[in-house]
Amino acid sequence: MTTPFDPQTQHTYTYLFCDLRTDQLLAELPLSGVTYSYALNQPGTLRGTIPYNSETLPLDPETASTPGRTAVYVDRDGVLVWGGIVWTRQNATGGRSIQASEFLSYFQHRYVKRTLSTDTSLITDPTYVGSGPTAQRLYADQKFVMWSLMRYASEQAGGSIGIDLGQIGYAAHGVTRNVTYYQYERPEIYKAISELAAADDGFDFSIEVGWSQATATTPPTRYRKAMTWFPRRGRTAAESGLVFSKGGGYGSILDYDWPEDGTAVVTEMSGLGAGTGEARIVKTAADNDMIASGWPLLEGVATYDDVVDETQVQGLTNADLEAQSAAQAQPTFEVSADTDPEFGSYSVGDQALFVIDPEPQSPAGRSAVLRIVGIENTAASGPERIRLTCVGA
């Protein structure tokens, strides 16, 4: 049984501003109007305003929040719940507003500048990436390709931001990829990882933050860890036991929107890979079961300009078809952070049961198992409201 909303719940927020490369603490600054979010396989965002007043100006907020050079962490009740890079700053009433994105966003600003490949016939130095400044060979398992790309980025001068790559450096997924990243194309590293993850038999990934375990002689320290989940992140609804409900005066759902959009349905997808003219890689995937059941032929086209491997283009095409072969409903739910299931007991990737009792906009009620792909929290000392974005499980 869910517990009722408790208006007395209080939370303590602390915002830590640190040097991006060294993680040295620069200042602990207050923020107002804060929202922070997480997204599956994408960098979540943070927005807030630093007040400029007699208390904060001696802490040098200008240096502590320099865009592109500083990081900000969100500590909620002693738990690091968010961390990322300050990217923009502008004037706001009473101070300066900032926008930050999780640490994955760093790799949206990093590019492959030396040809890297799993195919040794295409490279001059077959040494594995991470073994020297001219190494070009990638480990073929998809998890280790991600490791290689992040290792390549971190080994350049000024290129390390302290990401722990330990978890992605062992225990292969068992999925081999044939990939080449040509230096003359300057592929973006985040995009390359995203394309690997989105293909058939792909994976979910993130950079997680938190406090390390304190010992008798050392205090806790912050960490930034690259992580993968195979075949996917999160728990099934049966494993999680998560139930979000609305009705009867109880439940955690405060409001919701459950749209359906047939304009985005695709029953046959064409995927366009690298190449030009007749030499371009073109692959097709069709949902024959949907067509046989009465759905019309509804076509879509997706482009993967940087993908040179035909198998990977086919895998991406298959994955995009699967994502669009059902009515594109992305329900959103506004839930109480302190009503069961409480904020912190679920993460992006988890499946949950969502139940709406009969009411005017849903006369028969609604019930479905959905996957959480986005979480946004509006930080407050008192009761918090969480916005969940979901897709069909």
Side-chain angles (χ1 to χ4, degrees):
M1 178 179 174
T2 55
T3 54
F5 177 68
D6 181 6
Q8 304 304 315
T9 302
Q10 297 292 312
H11 297 287
T12 300
Y13 274 94
T14 304
Y15 304 100
L16 308 173
F17 289 79
C18 303
D19 182 84
L20 177 58
R21 290 176 58 185
T22 68
D23 206 39
Q24 177 185 352
L25 179 65
L26 300 175
E28 179 182 314
L29 296 169
L31 284 175
S32 62
V34 177
T35 61
Y36 59 94
S37 68
Y38 319 89
L40 188 65
N41 300 337
Q42 300 176 46
T45 60
L46 174 143
R47 291 176 175 80
T49 299
I50 304 171
Y52 277 34
N53 53 39
S54 59
E55 294 182 358
T56 61
L57 288 176
L59 301 175
D60 192 7
E62 287 285 293
T63 300
S65 63
T66 302
R69 185 168 178 175
T70 56
V72 58
Y73 295 92
V74 179
D75 183 300
R76 179 182 185 265
D77 299 335
V79 178
L80 279 188
V81 295
W82 195 95
I85 303 169
V86 178
W87 287 115
T88 68
R89 184 174 63 187
Q90 62 187 42
N91 291 338
T93 303
R96 305 202 76 185
S97 64
I98 61 169
Q99 183 273 325
S101 295
E102 288 183 294
F103 289 110
L104 269 180
S105 65
Y106 177 65
F107 298 96
Q108 294 174 323
H109 299 262
R110 296 300 307 278
Y111 298 83
V112 176
K113 298 178 291 186
R114 178 173 72 241
T115 296
L116 304 176
S117 181
T118 55
D119 184 350
T120 56
S121 70
L122 298 176
I123 56 181
T124 57
D125 184 349
T127 311
Y128 284 116
V129 171
S131 302
T134 62
Q136 292 177 274
R137 187 175 179 182
L138 302 175
Y139 288 97
D141 188 88
Q142 62 180 2
K143 184 179 184 182
F144 298 156
V145 173
M146 176 176 168
W147 175 90
S148 296
L149 290 169
M150 287 189 163
R151 179 72 180 266
Y152 163 79
S154 69
E155 289 193 337
Q156 298 174 57
S160 174
I161 59 167
I163 305 296
D164 180 351
L165 304 182
Q167 192 269 353
I168 63 172
Y170 68 94
H173 290 165
V175 179
T176 298
R177 301 295 187 193
N178 178 21
V179 293
T180 300
Y181 304 106
Y182 292 104
Q183 60 85 19
Y184 56 82
E185 292 180 341
R186 290 296 198 268
E188 178 193 298
I189 290 178
Y190 168 77
K191 182 180 178 183
I193 294 170
S194 296
E195 288 175 343
L196 275 175
D200 270 358
D201 297 320
F203 57 96
D204 293 327
F205 63 99
S206 177
I207 294 176
E208 302 289 284
V209 300
W211 290 111
S212 66
Q213 187 68 41
T215 69
T217 57
T218 58
T221 57
R222 293 174 294 275
Y223 63 74
R224 311 168 182 175
K225 293 182 180 178
M227 302 282 291
T228 67
W229 295 263
F230 177 76
R232 56 191 270 170
R233 180 178 186 173
R235 301 163 291 175
T236 66
E239 292 169 337
S240 72
L242 295 168
V243 179
F244 295 89
S245 62
K246 184 177 191 293
Y250 290 91
S252 59
I253 298 176
L254 306 174
D255 198 5
Y256 70 96
D257 184 21
W258 205 316
E260 296 170 289
D261 181 8
T263 64
V265 176
V266 172
T267 56
E268 182 182 280
M269 179 68 74
S270 294
L272 309 181
T276 58
E278 293 298 323
R280 185 164 195 176
I281 300 172
V282 180
K283 297 295 179 181
T284 303
D287 192 325
N288 295 318
D289 290 341
M290 285 187 70
I291 294 172
S293 71
W295 281 84
L297 178 62
L298 299 168
E299 297 171 313
V301 177
T303 58
Y304 324 108
D305 293 329
D306 298 330
V307 182
V308 298
D309 179 63
E310 292 192 15
T311 301
Q312 188 179 359
V313 173
Q314 184 67 68
L316 288 166
T317 305
N318 295 345
D320 274 339
L321 173 68
E322 182 179 357
Q324 292 187 243
S325 60
Q328 292 298 289
Q330 275 212 333
T332 57
F333 301 88
E334 190 172 281
V335 302
S336 165
D338 300 298
T339 301
D340 183 30
E342 294 182 358
F343 178 68
S345 68
Y346 48 85
S347 69
V348 290
D350 279 342
Q351 292 180 1
L353 175 63
F354 289 81
V355 180
I356 307 295
D357 283 357
E359 59 180 19
Q361 69 181 59
S362 297
R366 303 198 71 159
S367 177
V369 172
L370 303 172
R371 190 181 189 204
I372 301 170
V373 295
I375 301 172
E376 181 180 85
N377 190 354
T378 300
S381 60
E384 298 170 327
R385 300 165 79 96
I386 311 296
R387 180 181 175 85
L388 303 179
T389 302
C390 302
V391 297

